[in-house]
Amino acid sequence: MSTIELTKDNFDEIVQGPDGKGFVFIDFWAGWCGPCRQFAPVYEKASERHPDLVFAKVDTEAQQELAAAFEIRSIPTLAIIRDGVLVFSEPGALPEPVLEDLIGKARALDMDEVRAKVAEQQA
């Protein structure tokens, strides 16, 4: 599976998925950004190696509202949403081994524990 262009119009459909849950990696980028262009092939290869996950890209120039909603201040920024919870968001182009390690850690998360921590922080 290749990456999907994520926009404010298709965000809910892609991120929530058909059953209200999703596991989505989001690359916030811009065409003028050198590190973004360097990270793009690494991200694309990861999307091919992990067809069970959704890999999306947000062009921060075209989707300024979406970039603002995620408080993107530096690009590239990688965000991970799992079961409707933002579990990771960090700027920087990642080398392939680091991205693969991050994917493994995101898969291994105990989402019940994550939801409990989120509820605790919101209380």
Side-chain angles (χ1 to χ4, degrees):
M1 176 182 208
S2 61
T3 57
I4 298 167
E5 181 182 353
L6 190 61
T7 68
K8 66 178 183 162
D9 296 328
N10 68 4
F11 181 85
D12 289 340
E13 175 188 340
I14 290 172
V15 171
Q16 294 305 315
D19 60 356
K21 296 182 179 178
F23 199 159
V24 184
F25 286 73
I26 306 170
D27 174 23
F28 290 89
W29 68 283
W32 52 262
C33 167
C36 298
R37 290 193 306 270
Q38 289 176 324
F39 181 58
V42 172
Y43 191 72
E44 189 68 34
K45 283 181 191 172
S47 76
E48 292 166 2
R49 277 193 302 276
H50 302 277
D52 59 318
L53 302 176
V54 175
F55 286 79
K57 293 179 77 71
V58 174
D59 179 346
T60 57
E61 294 290 307
Q63 298 297 318
Q64 293 181 12
E65 285 180 52
L66 205 47
F70 278 82
E71 299 179 356
I72 302 302
R73 302 281 179 256
S74 179
I75 53 174
T77 289
L78 180 65
I80 304 171
I81 298 175
R82 184 162 171 203
D83 297 349
V85 179
L86 180 66
V87 296
F88 180 88
S89 181
E90 194 170 296
L94 302 175
E96 191 172 319
V98 175
L99 179 57
E100 285 300 315
D101 185 55
L102 182 60
I103 291 168
K105 288 178 178 174
R107 286 184 185 277
L109 284 173
D110 178 340
M111 289 310 294
D112 289 333
E113 186 178 309
V114 170
R115 281 188 286 277
K117 284 182 182 176
V118 168
E120 186 180 296
Q121 289 174 352
Q122 290 176 343

